[in-house]
Amino acid sequence: MAVGEPEAFTLYGWVVCVWVLIVSFQYGFHISSLNQISGVLTCRTTEPGLPPTYYGLPTCIPMDNPTFSVLTSIYTVGGLLGSVGANVVMDKWGRKGACLASAFIMAVGAGFMAVAASLSPLIIGRLLTGVAAGLGLCVGPVYISEIAPSKIKGAVGVLTQFAIVIGIMITQAMGLQLATPRTWRAVLLFSSALSIAQLLVGPIIVESPVWLNRHGLLRAKDASARRLWRGGHTLRSPDVASEDAEDPLLGASDEHSSLNSDRRPDGHEAAVTVPQVVLRKEFRKPLAIVCFSMLCQQLSGVNAVLYYSNNILSKALPDLGPYVSLGITVVNFFMTAAPIFLIDRLGRKKLLSLSATGAIISLLGVGFGLDSGAVALASITIISFVASFAIGIGPVPFVMIPEVSPHQAVSALSSVGLSLNWIANFLVGLVFLPLRDFLSHGDESREGRVFYVFAALLAFFTFMLFSLYRG
C-alpha cells in the first residue's frame, strides 16, 4: 500500500482547527476580561441618577482594591487546578472530550460572573473560568499538533498563541465600548455564549486520529483522517485488525511519531501519568525542555511589563491612556502573526534565539529608561519587548510541547508544563511590586531595577533551554 503524508487540511479540517482554538481564545479573553470594566464593576465609576439595579441585577458590585486583586488572581488558581488534572481528562475522554469539558466549565463560569449579584458568585465564576482555561490551554496545543498536517505543523501550532492574543485584544476592545454600569455584563455573557456555541457544534467535530489510534479505534481513526486531511495519504481498509502493521496514515519520516510507535500486546498504548513523567529517567530531558521553555515564557516578566506599561505609556501619551493597553495588544497581534510564516522557515530554536535576544535588550532598555527618567526610551523598549516576545517566546513553547514529548507522555508533560506556567505566572504577579519596592528603596528613580532581574532570569533560562533543545 502506498505510504505518504497528509499535505493539507480539508475545509472541514480548518473548521475543526478553529473550533479547537476557541479554548485558547477564551484563555486570552479572561486574562483581560476585568481590566477595562474594573471601574464600573467595583462601583468606582458611576453614572448620576442611575438606578441601583438594571434588569433585576445590581449595576455594580462594591469592592476595595485588595478584594478586586483576589478576584483577579483567583483565575490563576483555577488555571493551576485545571492544568493539574488535564492529563487525566485528555487521556480518558480524548482531546475532543477535554475541549468540550473546558467549554462547559467556561460557559458555566462566565455565566455565573455575568449574572452575579454579589461577590461570592463572581469569585466562583472567576475560579471556574480559570479551571476551564487551564484545561483548555493543556489540550489545545496537543489537539492542534495531532491534527495538523506535517508540512504546516509549526505554522498551525503558532495559532494557539495567536488565538490567545486575539482573545486579549477582543476583550479590551469590547471593554472600551461596554465599560458602563448598564453594559459591563455583556463582556462576560459573550464568553459564556461562545462556549455554549462551541458545545453545540461539538457533535460534528472529530476526535484526534492520534488518540483514536492509541486506543485501538482504527476505523474511527481512518474516518477522522479522511475528513481532516487531503492529499498524500492512503487510508487503511476498515477490516484491518492488526495494529502491528505499518500505519499508512504516516510517511516514512514519521516512523517514530505517535501514530507509529510501540504498543502493548493488546494493541492499546498505556498513557504515562504525571508522577511517572517526573520520576522516570527516560522522560527527564523532554521534561526539562518543557519546563525551561515555560519558565522562559513567564519569567521574562511579560505580565509585569504589560502591567507596568499602562503607567509608563500613559505618561508619554497622557491623552490616550484608555487606549494604551489596546495599542500594545494590537502590536502583540501583528507580531504574533509573523511566526506563522517564519517558524517552519527559520526553525524553532532560531526564532527563540532572536526573540530572547530582543526581549533581553528591551528589558535592559526599560530598566535604564525608568531609572534615568527617559520616558520615551522606556516606552519604545516596552513596545520592542512585546514585539520580541510575540515572535518567539510567546508562541514557540506551545509548539514545542507536543513535538519534544514522547507519544505516550504528551498529555502528562503538557499538564506539568502548563501547571508550571500558571505557578510562575502567579509568582511573578505576587512578587513584582514588593520586589520593585525592595530594589528601589521607595525611590521612583530606581524602579527600573526590577527589570534587570527579569532580563537576568530570561538569559539564564534561555541558556538552560538551549543546552538541551536542539531545535
Side-chain angles (χ1 to χ4, degrees):
M1 204 181 311
V3 177
E5 297 178 2
E7 294 177 353
F9 276 130
T10 60
L11 178 60
Y12 173 81
W14 281 113
V15 170
V16 175
C17 185
V18 171
W19 184 85
V20 175
L21 290 171
I22 291 175
V23 296
S24 300
F25 172 92
Q26 292 278 29
Y27 165 71
F29 189 91
H30 284 279
I31 285 176
S32 298
S33 62
L34 301 183
N35 287 3
Q36 300 285 14
I37 64 173
S38 60
V40 292
L41 169 62
T42 59
C43 302
R44 291 196 297 268
T45 301
T46 59
E47 295 179 4
L50 184 72
T53 61
Y54 186 66
Y55 284 104
L57 293 171
T59 54
C60 64
I61 300 173
M63 65 185 87
D64 54 20
N65 285 335
T67 304
F68 183 73
S69 295
V70 170
L71 175 65
T72 301
S73 61
I74 202 73
Y75 180 67
T76 309
V77 176
L80 177 59
L81 294 175
S83 295
V84 167
N87 70 299
V88 176
V89 179
M90 281 192 282
D91 287 327
K92 184 175 182 179
W93 293 354
R95 312 324 190 201
K96 174 184 171 181
C99 281
L100 289 172
S102 174
F104 176 78
I105 299 170
M106 183 64 74
V108 173
F112 261 51
M113 295 182 72
V115 300
S118 62
L119 184 61
S120 296
L122 200 62
I123 289 178
I124 292 171
R126 181 72 171 169
L127 179 67
L128 289 175
T129 61
V131 172
L135 173 57
L137 200 59
C138 282
V139 68
V142 174
Y143 201 164
I144 289 291
S145 175
E146 290 180 350
I147 66 172
S150 57
K151 291 184 179 180
I152 57 171
K153 190 178 290 289
V156 173
V158 172
L159 293 178
T160 294
Q161 181 69 12
F162 198 56
I164 293 171
V165 172
I166 293 174
I168 296 172
M169 186 169 65
I170 293 296
T171 191
Q172 290 181 343
M174 290 180 68
L176 285 174
Q177 299 298 318
L178 300 174
T180 71
R182 290 185 175 91
T183 58
W184 62 267
R185 295 178 185 272
V187 175
L188 302 166
L189 278 173
F190 170 80
S191 173
S192 183
L194 181 61
S195 286
I196 290 172
Q198 187 179 16
L199 289 170
L200 293 176
V201 175
I204 70 169
I205 302 299
V206 296
E207 180 56 83
S208 158
V210 174
W211 187 86
L212 291 170
N213 185 80
R214 283 179 49 201
H215 288 75
L217 304 172
L218 295 182
R219 295 185 185 184
K221 176 199 68 175
D222 291 347
S224 175
R226 279 194 296 269
R227 299 187 70 186
L228 288 169
W229 301 325
R230 62 179 174 82
H233 62 277
T234 303
L235 296 174
R236 180 192 297 270
S237 173
D239 61 357
V240 175
S242 172
E243 292 185 271
D244 296 323
E246 180 181 44
D247 195 318
L249 286 176
L250 293 179
S253 62
D254 292 316
E255 63 184 358
H256 298 298
S257 70
S258 56
L259 282 180
N260 219 24
S261 49
D262 294 336
R263 298 176 175 86
R264 296 186 306 176
D266 63 356
H268 298 261
E269 296 184 16
V272 175
T273 64
V274 169
Q276 288 174 323
V277 157
V278 173
L279 296 176
R280 282 167 55 174
K281 184 177 180 180
E282 63 265 35
F283 299 122
R284 287 178 187 171
K285 185 173 181 178
L287 176 63
I289 291 173
V290 168
C291 289
F292 284 136
S293 67
M294 290 295 121
L295 289 172
C296 281
Q297 189 180 81
Q298 288 301 326
L299 296 185
S300 68
V302 60
N303 290 324
V305 171
L306 293 177
Y307 171 87
Y308 214 61
S309 62
N310 275 9
N311 180 273
I312 297 170
L313 294 181
S314 293
K315 292 177 182 178
L317 305 166
D319 296 330
L320 299 176
Y323 299 93
V324 165
S325 291
L326 180 59
I328 290 174
T329 306
V330 170
V331 171
N332 200 3
F333 170 82
F334 283 109
M335 295 307 297
T336 302
I340 296 175
F341 307 100
L342 296 176
I343 189 167
D344 288 319
R345 295 181 182 181
L346 297 182
R348 282 68 164 152
K349 189 170 184 178
K350 188 170 183 179
L351 209 54
L352 276 174
S353 179
L354 292 171
S355 175
T357 301
I360 292 168
I361 293 172
S362 297
L363 285 168
L364 295 175
V366 173
F368 181 79
L370 289 176
D371 286 350
S372 63
V375 177
L377 174 62
S379 301
I380 292 170
T381 49
I382 279 179
I383 294 172
S384 68
F385 172 82
V386 171
S388 297
F389 179 88
I391 66 168
I393 302 173
V396 173
F398 294 118
V399 178
M400 289 169 55
I401 290 177
E403 290 184 346
V404 303
S405 302
H407 57 89
Q408 74 273 32
V410 64
S411 297
L413 281 167
S414 177
S415 184
V416 171
L418 272 301
S419 296
L420 182 62
N421 188 293
W422 284 100
I423 292 171
N425 185 350
F426 178 77
L427 290 176
V428 169
L430 184 68
V431 307
F432 173 67
L433 290 178
L435 181 62
R436 183 200 67 181
D437 294 340
F438 172 77
L439 294 173
S440 66
H441 304 293
D443 184 351
E444 287 190 7
S445 65
R446 297 179 179 178
E447 289 186 349
R449 292 179 175 181
V450 68
F451 293 101
Y452 299 144
V453 175
F454 288 121
L457 287 172
L458 177 56
F460 173 75
F461 285 110
T462 300
F463 173 79
M464 295 301 295
L465 173 62
F466 284 178
S467 68
L468 296 168
Y469 181 60
R470 303 303 176 192

